[in-house]
Amino acid sequence: MKIAVLGAGPSGLYFAISMKLRNAAHNITVYERNRFDDTFGWGVVLSDETMSNFEDNDPVSEKMIRDNFAYWDDVKTVRGDESMTSGGHGFSGIGRKKLLILLQDRARELGVNLEFEHNLDEEKIAALKKTNDLVVAADGLNSMTRKIYEDKFNPEIDMRQNHFVWLGTHQKFDDAFTFIFEKTEHGWIWAHAYQFDDHTATFIVECGPETYKAFRFDTLDQTESIALCEKIFAKHLGGHSLMTNANHIRGSAWIQFPRVTCENWYSENVVLLGDASATAHFSIGSGSKLGMESAIALADAIESGKPLDDALHTYQDERKLQVLRITSAARNSTEWFEDVERYLNLDMMQFSYSLLTRSQRISHENLRLRDPEWMAKAEAWFQKEAGGTEGRSPMFAPFKLRGMELENRVVVSPMAQYKARDGNPTDWHFVHYSERAKGGAGLVFTEMLCVSKEGRITPGCPCISEDQVPAWSRLTEFVHTETPAKICAQIGHAGRKGSTRLAWDGIDKPLEEGNWDLLSASAIPLMEGNVVPKAMDRTDMDMVKAQFVASVKAAAKANFDMIEMHAAHGYLLASFISPVTNKRSDEYGGSLENRMRYPLEIFHAMRAEWPEDKPMTVRISAHDWMGDEGVSPEDAVAIAQMFKDAGADAINVSSGQTDKAEQPVYGRMFQVPFSDRVRNDVDAPTLVAGNIYEPDHVNSILMAGRADLVLLARPHLADPYWTLHAAVELGDTKQEWPAPYEGGRRQANTLAERAKAMSA
């Protein structure tokens, strides 16, 4: 093949090398607009895993790179006068210029043509497209090729809010990758510092937009900007200066990070590579890694024997998903730094943990593997703060809300069972909830208990009123007598989502017969064909409020330990909160304050009837996933604040299910960022659910301060004894089992110890 590579950065050069290794007959030319020794970055970070991939692909260039590495194993966090270090992270740094020269040498050795100071415009790129079998656009995050064929690649560029500047220094940071946070008169400013050769370290300075403006970095030239940064970080620089290699840029050289994604990575015989196709924020150091590993994948696809179009399609399908995992982690890391002031008041231990796990790629047990001694200290700190037992994981720390004390932080999430008869719970409910209370969770939620038959979602949903007190009392008595668990009644009204079929008969579809009248904030049906609800008037509001009050009295009489008001997922109270479902023009519609008026009225009425020593929480949807039309995470903070001010003991942070037009973004622990925001911005305890299924997830969430209680739904459907089995998995022998099951506990722990020993 005749191949033109546009851009002699790491990804372009490494692709050329990889193709030549697979077939020396390829005619490959790399075109670069800069000189061979120009570079405007400082150091490149590569992990041990990445270097293993390079070794498999080309041992020669891997050794060339490794021989020029600066290694570090530790990550050091410095905040003011405090510092903390954890180890086992296994990263390496190399100067970007050195890396490029090594790759140039290897490419020439393999017969790649390198043309520097070669400017490419639209006409020249079009000519290369005609005269080459393949054009690889590795021309960076400001890709000219991507811009020319924008209608083919459909890029989306999200300019992130923080400002940063790439600098270098001869100060030594060879003992650790170091994050330095300094509080100034204009707010917090921080640095990412790491060594990349014997004499030089990268020193990236970053801050939020308010601090950037307050320091007037936007008005300074580079000399003035550097002098100011040297002053801010003087105690960390040891008398060394900061340096720039961006003298070609006017002004201070501060920039914002563009998050680039593209719908398509190729068109005809042109394919995007590296930053041209997708960018990863510098805070996880994966830009060069991604580009070079994509180069390997592209070379493999082209040499697969498939026709070029099929090969490029395979490359896009397979590699795009792998890159998405990294760029999603990079997005998490980006947002952590954008919101860093939310965490800077945390205890240094928790702050460091939050920093290390910010991308959600590094988990609790992964950190334990990296540095077991540091992790033991972190867990001991968490247990001490919680009043728990040293040597146990965060999920087994106690937690208290008002007079309710939980033995651990694991919660059985509310899950509809659709097994009630005429609003009454059955033996199914008794067995279902009893088993999960026996299973070791600290708290068990009921499904939403409806305040009236008209407030049910389906004919199979249970109610809570005076009529159901005996059945619910039987359950709570068993839970309190036979288990250490506490039990919460989640109380709500289906609103416009009512009068629908059982889930397995057609979820959210209207009943085939016997539909009942519905109420909602506005007369908007859930879907076409569903019952159109009545927009509630004041008489309806008073009636429903009385039903909520009666349900709270019944819950108190049935001796539940806690109640939760369900104001999420598009049900009645949520229909007032969300602008998607609230189109009212009276005092209950319009502004958020107006939309919150009726839910807060219900909350106050419920709290007034609930025993003072028992907690009450509220479940909210922190995101409608409806763009600008619906509730946003920013709105959720205000909503949570209003409920906290009204007396809510904790906020159960959920999302979505408001309207069928939603476009949710699912993923592992996908609702945790919303809980994190509410917990740390509102300073209120939070509960969170959402694709959480491993003990590792639970411990990571709790240890980082992203929630106080963690709800698991499907794992508890699959295994009522999830918590007991998690304790065995973690080697926690302090977890009690029901007395009749003691033999099972001993055997489970013995088998786990044996398996661990055999694995070792």
Side-chain angles (χ1 to χ4, degrees):
M1 294 180 71
K2 186 178 181 185
I3 302 171
V5 179
L6 315 185
S11 59
L13 288 168
Y14 202 62
F15 169 75
I17 291 167
S18 300
M19 284 300 291
K20 275 290 193 179
L21 288 169
R22 284 155 179 77
N23 188 339
H26 290 313
N27 180 358
I28 305 174
T29 303
V30 179
Y31 298 92
E32 170 58 48
R33 65 191 177 98
N34 295 308
R35 293 173 299 183
F36 81 96
D37 59 350
D38 280 345
T39 183
F40 308 112
W42 289 92
V44 172
V45 179
L46 299 169
S47 68
D48 289 344
E49 178 188 11
T50 299
M51 290 306 297
S52 294
N53 294 335
F54 291 173
E55 184 176 23
D56 292 339
N57 185 60
D58 179 24
V60 175
S61 61
E62 188 273 344
K63 185 176 187 304
M64 294 166 69
I65 295 168
R66 191 178 290 278
D67 287 347
N68 287 274
F69 264 160
Y71 290 91
W72 66 87
D73 201 46
D74 294 346
V75 172
K76 185 177 184 180
T77 309
V78 181
R79 183 180 65 185
D81 295 327
E82 300 176 278
S83 68
M84 182 169 287
T85 302
S86 70
H89 300 285
F91 282 94
S92 309
I94 185 171
R96 181 177 171 85
K97 182 184 290 188
K98 185 67 176 178
L99 174 64
L100 292 177
I101 289 174
L102 292 173
L103 293 177
Q104 290 168 20
D105 290 344
R106 179 60 171 152
R108 287 193 188 94
E109 178 184 295
L110 293 170
V112 176
N113 305 308
L114 303 180
E115 293 197 17
F116 292 95
E117 299 181 70
H118 193 107
N119 282 315
L120 293 172
D121 55 20
E122 184 172 355
E123 184 179 340
K124 290 178 180 177
I125 292 173
L128 289 173
K129 184 172 179 287
K130 286 182 180 180
T131 57
N132 284 267
D133 299 305
L134 178 67
V135 175
V136 179
D139 46 353
L141 59 85
N142 295 313
S143 169
M144 171 69 74
T145 314
R146 188 184 65 224
K147 185 176 181 181
I148 293 169
Y149 302 110
E150 186 173 0
D151 61 325
K152 306 295 185 184
F153 297 123
N154 292 327
E156 183 175 323
I157 301 176
D158 173 21
M159 194 65 71
R160 304 306 305 184
Q161 70 178 35
N162 280 2
H163 296 259
F164 65 97
V165 60
W166 288 84
L167 301 171
T169 181
H170 291 312
Q171 166 66 323
K172 292 280 190 179
F173 288 98
D174 54 1
D175 58 339
F177 192 118
T178 305
F179 295 98
I180 305 167
F181 298 86
E182 283 293 329
K183 191 172 186 178
T184 73
E185 68 272 25
H186 296 308
W188 287 89
I189 188 167
W190 53 95
H192 314 239
Y194 57 91
Q195 200 81 11
F196 63 81
D197 64 27
D198 291 341
H199 310 289
T200 322
T202 297
F203 199 88
I204 306 170
V205 181
E206 183 182 8
C207 63
E210 295 83 6
T211 302
Y212 174 78
K213 284 285 189 182
F215 272 117
R216 301 182 63 223
F217 281 119
D218 56 327
T219 68
L220 304 180
D221 62 27
Q222 289 195 55
T223 301
E224 294 167 329
S225 171
I226 288 172
L228 183 50
C229 289
E230 287 173 345
K231 180 180 178 182
I232 293 169
F233 294 101
K235 67 181 180 182
H236 307 286
L237 293 172
H240 292 274
S241 61
L242 292 172
M243 305 176 290
T244 181
N245 58 11
N247 291 316
H248 61 295
I249 298 176
R250 293 182 179 180
S252 64
W254 284 72
I255 56 176
Q256 292 168 268
F257 184 80
R259 182 174 186 263
V260 176
T261 55
C262 293
E263 182 179 340
N264 301 310
W265 282 13
Y266 77 97
S267 175
E268 298 179 346
N269 67 332
V270 179
V271 61
L272 301 178
L273 180 65
D275 284 347
S277 57
T279 57
H281 193 257
F282 61 85
S283 62
I284 67 168
S286 290
S288 297
K289 161 201 163 66
L290 273 185
M292 294 172 75
E293 289 181 340
S294 290
I296 297 172
L298 179 57
D300 285 340
I302 293 170
E303 289 296 318
S304 65
K306 296 179 181 178
L308 182 61
D309 189 74
D310 291 347
L312 295 179
H313 189 77
T314 298
Y315 164 69
Q316 174 177 284
D317 279 359
E318 295 180 357
R319 185 60 185 162
K320 194 174 183 182
L321 181 60
Q322 295 165 352
V323 168
L324 179 62
R325 294 192 182 105
I326 303 296
T327 56
S328 294
R331 182 191 62 223
N332 294 336
S333 180
T334 306
E335 292 175 352
W336 190 91
F337 280 104
E338 288 175 345
D339 297 321
V340 71
E341 297 202 24
R342 178 182 299 153
Y343 312 111
L344 281 160
N345 290 324
L346 295 175
D347 182 275
M348 188 61 177
M349 178 64 77
Q350 193 162 51
F351 177 69
S352 297
Y353 185 99
S354 179
L355 172 65
L356 291 170
T357 59
R358 66 192 181 279
S359 71
Q360 296 188 13
R361 290 185 71 218
I362 297 176
S363 68
H364 194 78
E365 293 307 313
N366 186 264
L367 278 179
R368 192 190 308 280
L369 287 173
R370 293 175 183 222
D371 193 339
E373 183 178 343
W374 185 86
M375 178 54 70
K377 291 178 182 177
E379 291 185 333
W381 170 85
F382 191 92
Q383 288 288 348
K384 183 179 179 181
E385 291 292 305
T389 304
E390 187 172 340
R392 305 193 75 188
S393 298
M395 64 187 287
F396 297 115
F399 188 69
K400 184 174 182 179
L401 284 175
R402 296 205 185 205
M404 183 184 75
E405 297 186 22
L406 304 178
E407 288 210 340
N408 61 56
R409 309 293 184 101
V410 180
V411 182
V412 177
S413 192
M415 295 173 283
Q417 298 298 295
Y418 308 108
K419 298 292 277 186
R421 296 197 190 102
D422 197 28
N424 296 305
T426 63
D427 283 349
W428 177 276
H429 297 88
F430 179 81
V431 173
H432 171 75
Y433 293 118
S434 295
E435 281 297 282
R436 280 140 191 88
K438 287 163 58 183
L443 179 64
V444 177
F445 267 83
T446 68
E447 61 202 278
M448 186 174 81
L449 307 183
C450 306
V451 299
S452 66
K453 289 184 179 180
E454 297 74 27
R456 291 175 296 166
I457 310 165
T458 75
C461 293
C463 296
I464 183 163
S465 66
E466 184 66 29
D467 292 343
Q468 289 83 39
V469 167
W472 292 123
S473 295
R474 177 184 174 221
L475 172 63
T476 60
E477 183 179 359
F478 177 88
V479 171
H480 294 150
T481 302
E482 301 293 348
T483 82
K486 306 300 181 185
I487 187 163
C488 172
Q490 187 187 69
I491 300 174
H493 187 297
R496 74 175 188 144
K497 298 181 78 173
S499 192
T500 58
R501 303 176 199 177
L502 306 186
W504 43 84
D505 291 333
I507 192 166
D508 289 334
K509 292 183 178 180
L511 296 171
E512 294 180 342
E513 59 181 11
N515 284 285
W516 57 82
D517 293 337
L518 302 180
L519 297 171
S520 189
S522 299
I524 305 171
L526 179 62
M527 296 187 295
E528 186 177 347
N530 283 53
V531 176
V532 178
K534 176 189 176 186
M536 294 174 71
D537 58 26
R538 188 62 246 185
T539 301
D540 298 320
M541 292 181 189
D542 290 339
M543 176 189 69
V544 170
K545 180 167 71 172
Q547 292 170 347
F548 270 98
V549 168
S551 292
V552 171
K553 291 179 177 178
K557 194 171 182 180
N559 201 24
F560 280 97
D561 301 293
M562 175 175 125
I563 60 170
E564 178 169 277
M565 186 180 90
H566 201 328
H569 299 168
Y571 295 123
L572 180 69
L573 298 180
S575 76
F576 277 86
I577 298 173
S578 175
V580 173
T581 48
N582 185 337
K583 304 298 183 182
R584 302 174 72 99
S585 58
D586 61 3
E587 66 269 33
Y588 298 100
S591 68
L592 178 59
E593 289 72 18
N594 282 356
R595 302 197 310 271
M596 285 290 292
R597 192 185 301 272
Y598 185 59
L600 286 170
E601 182 181 330
I602 296 294
F603 179 90
H604 284 296
M606 293 174 71
R607 181 67 260 187
E609 294 297 334
W610 187 239
E612 181 67 23
D613 67 330
K614 292 187 175 184
M616 177 177 171
T617 63
V618 181
R619 191 171 215 182
I620 66 170
S621 286
H623 201 322
D624 282 337
W625 302 108
M626 297 280 289
D628 294 336
E629 295 180 45
V631 167
S632 68
E634 292 79 11
D635 296 328
V637 172
I639 292 166
Q641 185 68 59
M642 292 184 211
F643 279 125
K644 178 190 175 185
D645 293 343
D649 296 294
I651 307 298
N652 189 343
V653 183
S654 192
S655 71
Q657 303 179 50
T658 297
D659 191 89
K660 292 299 181 180
E662 69 179 2
Q663 293 184 306
V665 179
Y666 293 120
R668 183 169 48 91
M669 302 186 286
F670 73 103
Q671 293 179 155
V672 171
F674 308 142
S675 169
D676 185 343
R677 180 184 292 232
V678 168
R679 183 183 188 272
N680 291 296
D681 285 1
V682 177
D683 190 24
T686 60
L687 305 85
V688 71
N691 205 16
I692 298 166
Y693 50 85
E694 294 179 358
D696 209 12
H697 300 163
V698 179
N699 286 322
S700 295
I701 292 165
L702 295 170
M703 187 71 221
R706 297 181 174 119
D708 298 275
L709 296 172
V710 180
L711 289 73
L712 298 96
R714 291 178 179 87
H716 278 119
L717 290 178
D719 181 4
Y721 300 95
W722 186 89
T723 306
L724 301 183
H725 295 152
V728 173
E729 180 182 333
L730 294 173
D732 187 307
T733 58
K734 298 182 178 67
Q735 175 63 41
E736 293 185 10
W737 287 41
Y741 298 172
E742 177 58 25
R745 184 187 75 86
R746 288 198 304 270
Q747 184 187 58
N749 284 323
T750 299
L751 292 174
E753 290 170 7
R754 185 181 301 167
K756 184 178 179 181
M758 291 176 67
S759 174

